Amino acid sequence: MESIRKEFALDQPTFKAIVDGFKSEYAMGLNTASASGLATMIPSYVTALPTGDEKGTYLALDLGGSTLRVCAVELRQAKRSNVKVTELKRHIAPNDPLRTSGAVAFFDWIVDAIDELLTMISAAASSTSEPLSLGVCWSFPIDQTSISTGKILRMGKGFTIDGIEGLDLFTLFQEAFERKGLRVQVRALLNDTVGTLVAHAYTNPSTRIGFIYGTGVNAAYPEKVSRIVKLQQQQKAHTQPSQQMMLVNTEIDIFGSEDYLPLNRYDKMLDAQHSQPKFQLYEKMMSGGCMGELVRLAALDLIDKNLLFNGYRPQEFAIPMEFDTSVLSLIESFMNETLEVRLQHFNPLFHFTEAYVPSENDLRLLTDLCQIVSNRAARLAAAAVASLIEQQQEDLLGPRTDQKPIVIGVNGSTYEKYPTMHDRIHQALTEWFGEEIGQRIQLEVATDGGSIGGALIAMLAEKEEKMMNDLGALSS
Ligand code: BGC
């Protein structure tokens, strides 16, 4: 057990190496023009935040690892509480054939959901003569080339749609709308981190980081346009000089090399047996999608040495990647109960083909494993947040920023549901920055990134496009 503890230990010098490693990846990503295959530091082309005065109905679509959500968002007045959201959800099972279908079948399926939503809100939709604007929250890497266009990169999260890589997401949607005869216009493509940042900034204007910590992991932050060298090279014509900041999708999930990430033998085993080896190394060390697997692999080691479950393998450990992180979360949530209650909760979680009932010692060992893995995960999440705070050094840590809160909008089941995850991340940040700055750091649960965030960005994009058209008309 002690050797497993050592494998997962993440001390301060290692934490520093990770923060420094991330910062050099930011610099490299901002300066690298090409995004063939993989891309990090992706400009979002979102350069403004909503004022709160906006009105109208906007559509938002949110595709994640296991759910498609489509929403109609009616912005009614200045206050967020006056937003009306009508939504429709579709679950995508891990073995759903859609995940490996072709692009046409996949996009038709998505657009069918929008069609159904439009029927639900038919009154609002028919009252407008213009197509409804849609913000597409795409929780996968894309090489964005404008606010509404971008090339699809490798998807992850169990999707391997045939021939989709390199295609333009805007075009795929518009073609599907045409096939189905829908009057909808994609106005903006956004990553879930960008949606989270915008939606949370709408609630709390001090928000400076959008962080996703669920099945996947990623972060967005506002970067000075002058530092986005690749944007200046590629898109000089499209960027207005007055636009000082642009939200950047870091795709930090993809970051990582052994130069600074402390990959241990379980991380390497997980990666080697994964459907996408060598991809998303950082994410695999700490995401909700992988923590269960890391515990499973370490537990199998103990079982093989007869140290756990008397050497018997529970059925729950039979298949790689199928031991769910929610079980870890459950085990940690009852760890302060009396032994009797803990055993009552614990025993039904594991089933053996042989007549074996887990013992108190099994419970203790497995709880320890969960904590060892989740403590490291919390510190890895904190290292990402710390590096993003430092990346905004001047604005957040400079001499004129005293006492101002540093707000991070965080979305995702691992952060929201895993016991004490918030406290552990915050504590690691306080250890890194010291008490004074630690007190200014506020990690807040951010919801609605894919719904209200998507709709707000579609609205901002539509506004900007109209303004540009008006300017064009004036000067011609
Ligand atoms: C994806 C990111 C996404 C993150 C959080 C990662 O696996 O590559 O684009 O933002 O998950 O959902």
Side-chain angles (χ1 to χ4, degrees):
M1 189 67 181
E2 276 326 295
S3 74
I4 295 180
R5 203 181 291 284
K6 265 199 203 133
E7 295 266 7
F8 283 94
L10 203 167
D11 58 14
Q12 281 306 84
T14 313
F15 192 98
K16 179 174 183 333
I18 300 172
V19 172
D20 291 346
F22 283 167
K23 287 197 304 191
S24 56
E25 299 235 26
Y26 298 148
M28 208 163 65
L30 290 171
N31 287 289
T32 307
S34 158
S36 53
L38 298 179
T40 63
M41 306 308 278
I42 302 170
S44 68
Y45 299 87
V46 176
T47 51
L49 289 172
T51 61
D53 291 337
E54 297 81 5
K55 282 188 180 174
T57 298
Y58 295 87
L59 302 179
L61 180 152
D62 186 8
L63 180 72
S66 57
T67 323
L68 166 73
R69 207 156 56 116
V70 289
C71 313
V73 180
E74 199 186 324
L75 305 167
R76 291 162 154 180
Q77 255 188 20
K79 291 228 168 64
R80 183 189 168 85
S81 54
N82 232 330
V83 166
K84 182 180 168 210
V85 181
T86 312
E87 83 165 23
L88 193 144
K89 267 189 192 172
R90 298 261 194 271
H91 183 68
I92 315 163
N95 52 359
D96 194 319
L98 256 186
R99 292 180 181 273
T100 48
S101 65
V104 170
F106 188 60
F107 280 84
D108 279 356
W109 174 78
I110 295 179
V111 167
D112 280 343
I114 299 181
D115 196 7
E116 200 177 318
L117 177 77
L118 291 183
T119 313
M120 281 162 72
I121 59 146
S122 52
S126 60
S127 66
T128 156
S129 58
E130 307 222 333
L132 281 170
S133 292
L134 170 71
V136 175
C137 181
W138 190 255
S139 304
F140 305 89
I142 37 172
D143 174 20
Q144 203 156 343
T145 41
S146 78
I147 184 90
S148 60
T149 57
K151 265 187 276 163
I152 298 179
L153 302 174
R154 197 157 146 183
M155 281 184 74
K157 294 180 185 164
F159 286 94
T160 45
I161 308 283
D162 203 25
I164 205 175
E165 255 178 72
L167 298 185
D168 178 61
L169 192 50
F170 174 91
T171 313
L172 287 170
F173 270 107
Q174 290 309 137
E175 286 174 356
F177 290 138
E178 260 168 49
R179 281 195 298 275
K180 300 272 170 184
L182 295 194
R183 298 193 63 242
V184 176
Q185 161 93 38
V186 173
R187 290 283 178 187
L189 303 178
L190 55 132
N191 183 258
D192 50 354
T193 52
V194 173
T196 297
L197 179 46
V198 170
H200 204 63
Y202 196 48
T203 322
N204 186 340
S206 303
T207 310
R208 297 303 295 233
I209 295 169
F211 193 65
I212 307 281
Y213 190 11
T215 315
V217 176
N218 193 7
Y221 74 105
E223 181 55 276
K224 291 189 174 68
V225 169
S226 60
R227 278 166 54 168
I228 313 178
V229 175
K230 68 175 170 196
L231 180 75
Q232 292 160 358
Q233 283 168 357
Q234 293 170 353
Q235 298 290 332
K236 235 175 203 157
H238 297 284
T239 311
Q240 304 308 301
S242 60
Q243 290 165 349
Q244 297 292 303
M245 289 281 187
M246 183 179 287
L247 304 187
V248 169
N249 162 20
T250 60
E251 285 296 342
I252 201 166
D253 51 294
I254 300 175
F255 282 21
S257 76
E258 281 204 63
D259 292 348
Y260 64 85
L261 276 185
L263 294 168
N264 66 30
R265 60 197 221 91
Y266 303 107
D267 297 312
K268 289 178 190 165
M269 279 160 76
L270 185 154
D271 187 51
Q273 65 177 24
H274 197 273
S275 58
Q276 301 201 313
K278 305 277 175 223
F279 182 51
Q280 299 181 312
L281 289 181
Y282 166 66
E283 182 173 297
K284 284 181 184 143
M285 294 174 82
M286 44 84 77
S287 72
C290 292
M291 275 158 71
E293 177 64 7
L294 291 170
V295 167
R296 190 188 77 98
L297 291 171
L300 285 180
D301 241 3
L302 294 181
I303 292 173
D304 290 348
K305 291 181 183 132
N306 267 340
L307 296 171
L308 179 67
F309 297 138
N310 237 357
Y312 295 120
R313 283 187 180 207
Q315 287 161 16
E316 285 70 17
F317 286 171
I319 305 171
M321 302 303 292
E322 286 208 355
F323 184 59
D324 208 281
T325 300
S326 60
V327 181
L328 279 54
S329 175
L330 202 68
I331 293 175
E332 286 202 43
S333 70
F334 53 68
M335 63 184 241
N336 294 323
E337 312 255 9
T338 62
L339 179 61
E340 204 189 344
V341 173
R342 290 166 72 198
L343 283 171
Q344 266 169 23
H345 283 297
F346 182 80
N347 289 343
L349 293 175
F350 297 93
H351 298 86
F352 297 85
T353 33
E354 307 78 2
Y356 179 72
V357 178
S359 67
E360 182 196 335
N361 189 49
D362 293 330
L363 189 161
R364 188 180 52 76
L365 284 176
L366 211 66
T367 309
D368 276 359
L369 283 185
C370 296
Q371 280 195 298
I372 287 171
V373 169
S374 62
N375 280 340
R376 185 187 71 160
R379 288 181 64 75
L380 284 165
V385 173
S387 66
L388 282 168
I389 292 176
E390 292 189 8
Q391 180 72 5
Q392 301 175 70
Q393 177 84 25
E394 214 177 292
D395 295 325
L396 300 183
L397 304 173
R400 278 167 305 172
T401 58
D402 277 4
Q403 309 311 325
K404 279 202 202 126
I406 301 171
V407 178
I408 297 113
V410 194
N411 178 263
S413 49
T414 310
Y415 173 75
E416 286 168 45
K417 295 196 186 141
Y418 206 101
T420 71
M421 191 48 90
H422 165 278
D423 299 353
R424 289 188 251 183
I425 299 176
H426 194 266
Q427 189 190 334
L429 286 165
T430 304
E431 271 168 37
W432 178 249
F433 286 111
E435 278 297 326
E436 211 176 301
I437 294 176
Q439 277 175 14
R440 292 172 49 208
I441 299 177
Q442 297 172 12
L443 296 156
E444 297 180 348
V445 172
T447 48
D448 310 324
S451 52
I452 298 177
L456 285 167
I457 294 175
M459 177 273 299
L460 290 169
E462 184 192 278
K463 209 158 109 178
E464 166 126 356
E465 198 178 310
K466 283 191 178 142
M467 199 178 78
M468 297 303 279
N469 287 345
D470 291 350
L471 281 177
L474 275 179
S475 61
S476 61

